[in-house]
Amino acid sequence: MSVTTEGRAGATATGTISGSGRGRRRAWQRPTTLLLGYGVLLVFSVVYVYPFLIQLATSFKTDVDAVGNPLSLWPDPVSFAAFERLGEVAFPLWAMNSTIVAVLVTAGRVFFNSLAGYALARLKFKGRDAVFTAVLAVLAVPGVILLIPKFLVLNQLGMYNSYSALVVPLLVDAAGVFIMKQFFESIPVSVEEAARIDGASTFRIFWSVVLPMAKPALITVTILSFQGSWNELPHFIVASNEPALYTLTKGVANLTSGQLGSGQQYPVTMAAALLMTIPVAVVFIVFQRYFVRGGTAGAEKG
Amino acid sequence: MAHDLQDRADAQVEDRPPGREGTRRRRGIRGGQGVAGWLFVAPTVAVLGLFLFVPIVMALWVSLSDWTGRGSPFSGDVGFVGFENYARILTEPGLTRSDFWTSIRNNVYYVLLVVPAQTVLALFLATVLNNQLLKAKGFFRTAFYFPSVTSSVAISLTFLFLFTGTGAVNTFLAFFGVDGPTWFSDSRGLLHLLGDGIGLWDTGSPPEALTGPSALGLSLWEWLAGPSVALSVIIILVVWTTTGTFLLMFLAALQDVPVEVEEAAVVDGANRWQRFRAVTLPHLRPTVLLVLTLGLIGTWQVFDQIYVMTDGGPAKTTLTPAFLSYFYAFESFEWGVAAAMSFVLFAIIFVLTTLQRFLFRDKDAAAERKAQRRQRGRGARGHRPGQAQAWGVQHSNTATSETGGGTE
């Protein structure tokens, strides 16, 4: 087996010869281990990637083909009917709503989170610790129990069924404030002190001196905000019931029960799923590093 | 942005050097930080206060009232009913109580399967991925992590298609001569099927001893059903979706395992499993606890998948407290009961996570301190155990789900 020898050669090239005199390599550098590892990873990556491939292929299938050959990755014949039908069910409107909401929420979060994060990290004011404790408390509240409370307050404020109901409650998120605060704490104070002695105002220091240094954290918050608001479902369910205000998540979730019925029209739902995945996929592939950082850092156990 | 200008103006006004009228003691060049600080946190405090704290107080009132969803819950004709709504969920015999306890039963089975499965799978894949000689690490990491960042709605729809009666999964099973079930319309419990399989009982005519005694509106037989076939699809979906996030956490922790200790164990002749048990696992302990805690918080909030895929069916076997509370409020207009349900759910999550934290408190704190030291050593790229957000777990919002969920 050529793979084995290749593995062996590779292992020898980098293998460390331990002092035991028997030329014993670390166990995880043995070629058999490596092969086994590849085997496991390949099997699992098929399990992880195949559903997305099926989603992609089914989008271009006819209804009959989708039901008849569910495993095949080759549409026969290739059909664009599913995408045409999405145009008939207000899909473009949902996409527009989702885009507007995601852009506004992302802009708001980046700005407000970094303002608050900076104040909590650097500015001394009465009640700072109380505000920070409150932010931590928010982190500890399970989001799903807020469905009814959110509706109550939106209703009370007369915001229910308006654009503002979709956007405003999402404009700040505690996790983002936290990520920003942590980052600002890692920037040396001396930079700000110099600007302060030159007579710059607090906002000026924040805007022109500190923010440009916080690029990595800002990108992390941007990505997490975009992904979070683009994929959000429960909030949009309780914020409005107006079809004109449907976002992609809500509109597409209702596809199965709504206008198309739960019939055999799988290509349509797969095309919808595919299209709503694309923006996040692009952002993910370009900024993967930051995703990883956002997922594992900027964290706290309250 | 108006705010922006406002802040700028205010900040400048504030930062003038104090004149003689300045009776407050200011600390030299740091003058005016008090006001600036409050201005900076004002938007955050306003949004979080208005859409988190205030609504929770409102919902608490609704859960103690007989509000029907018409008009304002604070108008004069809404009455205070004390713990009536809570009693209807928890103790008073009736449909509401049996619905609620059915949803709790489902969610308990769901948690018992999802949390260990996602933890073990993530740890296993991370251990395999941690091989230094492995090529294409980036590809595998991306493949496993990608489902965590995609929309729960898109994934739910895809799984609906994969698991139809004649779908991809059953076609695949047919290769091996296995006749797959019609997943989403199959309400049979796995434990019932298992017992039937090994000859403990016959699901067609369950034993008297189990159907007789009942608690909280469900018979012992119903309590012992296990997750239904339909719920197990959602379990598979969620494990598949969440593994990637936890895998990254384990991977980060694995990279900190000291090589010298590993090598010492090799020299001492420990085999691979012994090394994993004695060296790797103790080191990963804080991460394992973190993953278990996040898993516990996330799995009690499962909502999106139920909303998209099953609406609680078949035969109420995929009802969860989160979905039930939504359903009672927005479909049956029993707001008081629905609000009470979400507070009971909150209590469950709170008690479980507090318990978990209490059990492992000291070691956690030590690990946290160690991680902080490491982080200071490595600057902003440092990794701390902790949580960014329930992703929708998932999702946003889920886990934050997200928020919260997840991300789920």
Side-chain angles (χ1 to χ4, degrees):
Chain A
M1 270 172 79
S2 62
V3 186
T4 319
T5 44
E6 203 174 60
R8 199 183 295 275
T12 319
T14 52
T16 54
I17 307 297
S18 74
S20 65
R22 281 180 301 170
R24 190 163 160 180
R25 292 192 208 102
R26 286 193 205 140
W28 66 81
Q29 297 192 343
R30 288 195 206 118
T32 43
T33 313
L34 199 60
L35 270 184
L36 204 67
Y38 276 124
V40 167
L41 292 175
L42 278 174
V43 169
F44 274 99
S45 44
V46 168
V47 172
Y48 269 75
V49 173
Y50 209 81
F52 289 109
L53 296 179
I54 288 185
Q55 187 191 87
L56 176 68
T58 307
S59 309
F60 295 98
K61 288 181 181 179
T62 57
D63 289 356
V64 178
D65 185 26
V67 176
N69 307 304
L71 271 178
S72 106
L73 296 182
W74 302 112
D76 178 27
V78 174
S79 141
F80 295 90
F83 293 95
E84 283 158 21
R85 239 178 309 162
L86 279 182
E88 296 159 21
V89 293
F91 190 88
L93 172 75
W94 305 336
M96 196 184 72
N97 285 339
S98 271
T99 308
I100 293 171
V101 169
V103 167
L104 289 176
V105 167
T106 305
R109 279 191 186 182
V110 169
F111 184 63
F112 295 138
N113 290 348
S114 44
L115 270 178
Y118 180 69
L120 292 174
R122 278 284 190 269
L123 304 180
K124 296 196 166 45
F125 59 96
K126 246 199 173 63
R128 181 173 87 166
D129 292 343
V131 172
F132 184 56
T133 309
V135 169
L136 284 186
V138 168
L139 270 182
V141 175
V144 84
I145 70 147
L146 291 169
L147 289 186
I148 294 163
K150 265 186 185 162
F151 168 82
L152 293 174
V153 86
L154 290 170
N155 209 20
Q156 198 69 22
L157 295 171
M159 288 166 73
Y160 185 72
N161 266 345
S162 69
Y163 247 112
S164 57
L166 302 184
V167 176
V168 177
L170 301 178
L171 277 180
V172 170
D173 73 314
V177 170
F178 202 85
I179 291 174
M180 292 314 299
K181 171 181 179 284
Q182 284 218 292
F183 192 88
F184 288 133
E185 278 172 346
S186 72
I187 295 178
V189 185
S190 51
V191 182
E192 292 158 69
E193 291 297 352
R196 204 177 289 282
I197 289 165
D198 289 345
S201 71
T202 307
F203 186 81
R204 182 69 201 278
I205 294 171
F206 163 76
W207 189 253
S208 322
V209 179
V210 182
L211 264 197
M213 296 170 79
K215 216 186 228 166
L218 288 175
I219 295 178
T220 299
V221 171
T222 305
I223 287 163
L224 291 179
S225 306
F226 175 79
Q227 182 235 356
S229 52
W230 184 267
N231 291 342
E232 175 66 42
L233 172 68
H235 173 71
F236 299 141
I237 291 175
V238 301
S240 87
N241 58 7
E242 176 79 47
L245 292 176
Y246 275 17
T247 55
L248 274 178
T249 44
K250 195 175 172 184
V252 172
N254 292 341
L255 269 184
T256 44
S257 51
Q259 293 134 302
L260 295 176
S262 52
Q264 302 284 323
Q265 306 198 306
Y266 293 111
V268 179
T269 55
M270 290 304 98
L274 175 73
L275 289 179
M276 70 194 286
T277 305
I278 286 173
V280 174
V282 170
V283 170
F284 174 67
I285 285 159
V286 175
F287 294 104
Q288 198 178 350
R289 251 165 2 109
Y290 295 92
F291 262 106
V292 172
R293 186 178 298 164
T296 55
E300 170 75 5
K301 294 192 223 167
Chain B
M1 254 172 149
H3 259 296
D4 178 336
L5 295 171
Q6 186 60 44
D7 282 347
R8 194 188 295 260
D10 284 316
Q12 276 170 347
V13 168
E14 264 320 299
D15 276 359
R16 284 187 197 136
R20 272 176 306 187
E21 76 283 0
T23 46
R24 271 186 302 158
R25 277 194 56 218
R26 289 197 169 177
R27 293 172 315 130
I29 54 169
R30 283 195 170 272
Q33 279 200 2
V35 179
W38 271 108
L39 283 172
F40 274 40
V41 295
T44 299
V45 170
V47 171
L48 294 183
L50 200 55
F51 295 105
L52 277 148
F53 290 109
V54 171
I56 288 174
V57 175
M58 287 170 91
L60 200 54
W61 159 248
V62 167
S63 78
L64 302 171
S65 78
D66 57 6
W67 187 56
T68 55
R70 282 162 202 256
S72 162
F74 305 102
S75 65
D77 49 19
V78 176
F80 175 78
V81 295
F83 288 102
E84 169 69 24
N85 292 319
Y86 290 89
R88 279 187 55 201
I89 299 171
L90 300 171
T91 54
E92 274 174 33
L95 182 64
T96 309
R97 184 183 72 162
S98 69
D99 273 354
F100 184 72
W101 287 104
T102 303
S103 77
I104 293 284
R105 176 202 64 179
N106 298 337
N107 217 142
V108 166
Y109 282 124
Y110 173 88
V111 170
L112 286 178
L113 281 169
V114 170
V115 174
Q118 67 192 7
T119 309
V120 170
L121 184 61
L123 182 54
F124 171 67
L125 289 176
T127 313
V128 176
L129 260 180
N130 199 35
N131 184 330
Q132 286 148 337
L133 292 179
L134 210 67
K135 302 270 189 303
K137 235 183 233 171
F139 163 78
F140 290 123
R141 224 180 25 208
T142 307
F144 297 143
Y145 189 49
F146 188 59
S148 313
V149 298
T150 44
S151 141
S152 57
V153 174
I155 287 181
S156 298
L157 287 178
T158 308
F159 270 65
L160 267 180
F161 175 57
L162 295 177
F163 281 87
T164 50
T166 58
V169 172
N170 280 356
T171 311
F172 179 73
L173 289 176
F175 281 138
F176 303 95
V178 178
D179 193 8
T182 49
W183 300 90
F184 288 106
S185 47
D186 196 333
S187 62
R188 292 174 303 167
L190 293 188
L191 284 182
H192 281 177
L193 292 173
L194 187 70
D196 191 295
I198 57 176
L200 261 183
W201 51 60
D202 171 18
T203 44
S205 56
E208 272 312 294
L210 295 178
T211 51
S214 75
L216 303 163
L218 276 76
S219 71
L220 191 54
W221 174 247
E222 285 168 321
W223 279 110
L224 291 175
S228 69
V229 175
L231 186 61
S232 57
V233 178
I234 295 174
I235 289 172
I236 292 167
L237 179 154
V238 170
V239 171
W240 183 83
T241 308
T242 51
T243 300
T245 310
F246 297 140
L247 178 136
L248 289 180
M249 292 181 185
F250 281 130
L251 213 48
L254 277 171
Q255 275 156 11
D256 292 338
V257 177
V259 176
E260 306 77 39
V261 186
E262 281 266 17
E263 284 184 330
V266 175
V267 173
D268 290 345
N271 67 29
R272 196 174 313 159
W273 173 243
Q274 285 171 321
R275 273 203 316 276
F276 183 76
R277 278 287 313 274
V279 179
T280 316
L281 217 46
H283 189 88
L284 289 181
R285 193 191 152 93
T287 316
V288 170
L289 287 178
L290 169 72
V291 166
L292 288 175
T293 308
L294 291 179
L296 200 61
I297 295 171
T299 45
W300 275 101
Q301 298 190 66
V302 57
F303 173 87
D304 292 16
Q305 291 81 2
I306 314 289
Y307 179 88
V308 177
M309 296 165 101
T310 61
D311 276 340
K316 297 185 180 174
T317 58
T318 61
L319 272 185
T320 62
F323 182 81
L324 194 67
S325 141
Y326 156 83
F327 187 85
Y328 265 77
F330 292 88
E331 309 277 337
S332 328
F333 307 110
E334 298 200 49
W335 288 88
V337 169
M341 279 177 187
S342 47
F343 281 105
V344 173
L345 177 59
F346 179 57
I348 291 172
I349 296 174
F350 183 79
V351 167
L352 286 175
T353 48
T354 310
L355 196 70
Q356 199 171 28
R357 218 163 263 181
F358 175 76
L359 287 175
F360 304 106
R361 197 175 30 177
D362 299 340
K363 287 168 176 152
D364 254 358
E368 187 83 4
R369 277 197 299 276
K370 211 162 68 188
Q372 271 169 342
R373 272 204 301 278
R374 260 210 318 275
Q375 187 174 24
R376 275 199 291 275
R378 287 194 311 195
R381 292 213 41 245
H383 155 72
R384 293 179 66 188
Q387 66 114 34
Q389 189 64 2
W391 312 64
V393 20
Q394 137 159 66
H395 273 235
S396 131
N397 274 219
T398 121
T400 274
S401 260
E402 115 347 91
T403 50
T407 260
E408 251 123 70

